[in-house]
Amino acid sequence: MEFQIVPVPAEKLKAKIADQSQLGFGKYFTDRMLVVEWKGGQGWVDARIEPYAPFSLDPASLVFHYAQEIFEGLKAYKWVDGRIALFRPEMNARRFNQSGDRVCLPPIPEELFLKGIEELVSLEREWVPTAEGTSLYIRPAMIAVEPVLGVKPSDHCYFFVIMSPVGAYYAAGFNPVNIMVEDHYVRAVPGGTGEAKTGGNYASSLKAGLEAKKKGYDQVLWLDGRERRFIEEVGAMNMFFAYGSHIVTAPLNGSILSGVTRDSVLKLAPILGYTVEERQIDVNDLMSDIRSGKVTEAFGSGTAAVITPVGKLCYRDEVLQLTGGQVGTVTQKLYDTLTGIQTGKLPDQFGWIRFVA
Ligand SMILES: *Cc1c(COP(=O)(O)O)cnc(C)c1O
């Protein structure tokens, strides 16, 4: 499929963000976006890269009422030799279609997903920031735009991609975040949509997040929806716990998101001399293992958050500090290795990098 390139008028080109330490996360957007439409009976049509601009949508569009929506998140990095690297984008393409299947959005050919992103990034290459810890965050999404109030899968959808130059996801940067275990609200249940990257999961998480924030915590750690007993994940991160050099994470049980970063940590850890295990983690056992000092570090993993150390963990009335509030060695090593591969400072021994032409 060819992409129609709609030029951006010179006077509409935005100024780049001069001070890259002020980027934050998802505050600025590049000059262009990719849009491809899907119509029942026709398939994918009208692929275009056009000036970044608001959509004009019918207020009856299905996405506004029944949340038929999915999204992805990946990053482009500018290497010192000037090349632009994407990290495992095929995983995002595959997961996008898995998410879409769950909410009855049409599958998009992986080639279209990948080529579209590459072409957009290539046109916007000047927007990829270069300062340490920065990148160009890429946000593909699909929405249902058929204007009808009956509950049904939409027969008109938009696939679109927008991009934002970003710094650290958390204001604290690479510093420990404090996390509260949520034992009232749940994020996902067996058979629900927890495994899909769909907007509704986030809408239903906001209230717990707000209440945690009021108590001074940055994020909520979700427990399983059936017994509220087993560790699932944090808002946009999978969770890991280090018992010395043994690293444990929850298994992909259908209600947690299958993170690309999670998978990368599981593959990198053994070559760094750590052992990994995917197993159910009972929150009561976890708390007692932290209390007794068996758990030495905890960290989250996600594209946006990369590897984020956990400082304090609160469950019911108990607050425990991990690693003395410092960044642990396992966490630091995984962060350095992962970001080293992403930015070309370390060899890409798994073939994870895909360059943008
Ligand atoms: C996106 C996301 C993650 C992290 O996945 P990555 O592929 O590593 O970015 C974890 N949990 C949830 C709920 C997510 O939406």
Side-chain angles (χ1 to χ4, degrees):
M1 180 177 287
E2 287 297 305
F3 299 95
Q4 185 205 347
I5 313 281
V6 184
V8 185
E11 71 276 11
K12 287 269 173 65
L13 290 170
K14 303 170 196 165
K16 306 286 184 298
I17 313 309
D19 182 358
Q20 294 185 2
S21 70
Q22 296 303 308
L23 284 173
F25 190 86
K27 294 193 293 183
Y28 306 103
F29 296 96
T30 71
D31 294 309
R32 298 169 177 85
M33 62 184 188
L34 169 76
V35 184
V36 192
E37 297 188 38
W38 181 89
K39 291 177 179 159
Q42 290 179 53
W44 292 100
V45 294
D46 200 10
R48 58 205 192 254
I49 292 176
E50 60 188 22
Y52 185 102
F55 287 128
S56 174
L57 291 177
D58 193 300
S61 295
L62 282 164
V63 65
F64 294 142
H65 304 274
Y66 311 124
Q68 201 189 359
E69 187 268 359
I70 54 170
F71 66 96
E72 266 304 326
L74 65 160
K75 283 173 171 175
Y77 307 86
K78 188 167 268 169
W79 287 17
V80 283
D81 62 9
R83 285 187 295 176
I84 295 173
L86 300 174
F87 184 72
R88 308 185 76 184
E90 311 81 10
M91 299 273 286
N92 300 94
R94 200 174 320 139
R95 188 173 64 189
F96 194 63
N97 282 332
Q98 286 162 354
S99 298
D101 182 64
R102 182 63 183 80
V103 298
C104 297
L105 284 167
I108 181 163
E110 288 184 16
E111 267 317 289
L112 176 55
F113 181 99
L114 295 169
K115 282 268 147 40
I117 287 173
E118 282 176 24
E119 198 142 335
L120 181 63
V121 172
S122 184
L123 283 166
E124 299 284 60
R125 56 178 55 247
E126 296 306 320
W127 279 97
V128 187
T130 50
E132 175 94 27
T134 65
S135 57
L136 184 67
Y137 184 78
I138 303 166
R139 167 54 58 86
M142 200 190 300
I143 56 173
V145 300
E146 185 188 350
V148 56
L149 293 182
V151 178
K152 63 180 276 288
S154 184
D155 73 7
H156 186 191
C157 302
Y158 286 180
F159 167 65
F160 63 94
V161 182
I162 55 175
M163 306 197 297
S164 171
V166 299
Y169 185 62
Y170 296 115
F174 185 59
N175 279 306
V177 296
N178 299 325
I179 285 180
M180 200 186 88
V181 180
E182 175 59 57
D183 71 345
H184 174 64
Y185 301 110
V186 296
R187 174 186 173 273
V189 291
T193 56
E195 206 175 23
K197 226 169 161 70
T198 183
N201 290 342
Y202 280 78
S204 63
S205 78
L206 292 173
K207 198 168 168 64
L210 216 57
E211 290 179 13
K213 201 138 283 172
K214 276 194 204 133
K215 293 181 183 148
Y217 292 88
D218 305 295
Q219 288 284 315
V220 163
L221 174 55
W222 301 104
L223 299 176
D224 77 279
R226 209 172 349 212
E227 297 182 63
R228 290 185 183 72
R229 180 175 150 207
F230 297 106
I231 302 291
E232 297 239 307
E233 60 176 315
V234 165
M237 307 192 293
N238 296 111
M239 281 303 296
F240 290 84
F241 302 93
Y243 289 71
S245 61
H246 185 61
I247 305 172
V248 178
T249 192
L252 299 177
N253 58 359
S255 60
I256 76 172
L257 209 284
S258 170
V260 176
T261 321
R262 175 187 181 279
D263 184 78
S264 306
V265 167
L266 288 174
K267 292 193 163 77
L268 284 175
I271 62 168
L272 297 173
Y274 307 130
T275 49
V276 292
E277 184 183 7
E278 299 175 67
R279 67 161 166 86
Q280 281 199 319
I281 304 164
D282 184 316
V283 63
N284 300 294
D285 297 343
L286 178 71
M287 291 302 280
S288 90
D289 289 347
I290 297 173
R291 225 178 283 125
S292 70
K294 280 193 209 154
V295 171
T296 45
E297 300 176 37
F299 62 89
S301 73
T303 298
V306 196
I307 301 280
T308 296
V310 175
K312 277 188 231 150
L313 194 66
C314 169
Y315 178 53
R316 299 198 165 147
D317 292 325
E318 189 177 17
V319 183
L320 296 175
Q321 197 185 51
L322 283 129
T323 333
Q326 304 295 111
V327 180
T329 51
V330 175
T331 306
Q332 184 76 52
K333 189 84 196 151
L334 281 161
Y335 176 88
D336 291 343
T337 308
L338 182 65
T339 56
I341 294 171
Q342 289 167 337
T343 56
K345 293 183 190 91
L346 291 175
D348 171 26
Q349 53 185 298
F350 291 99
W352 284 341
I353 297 298
R354 182 166 166 140
F355 293 106
V356 170

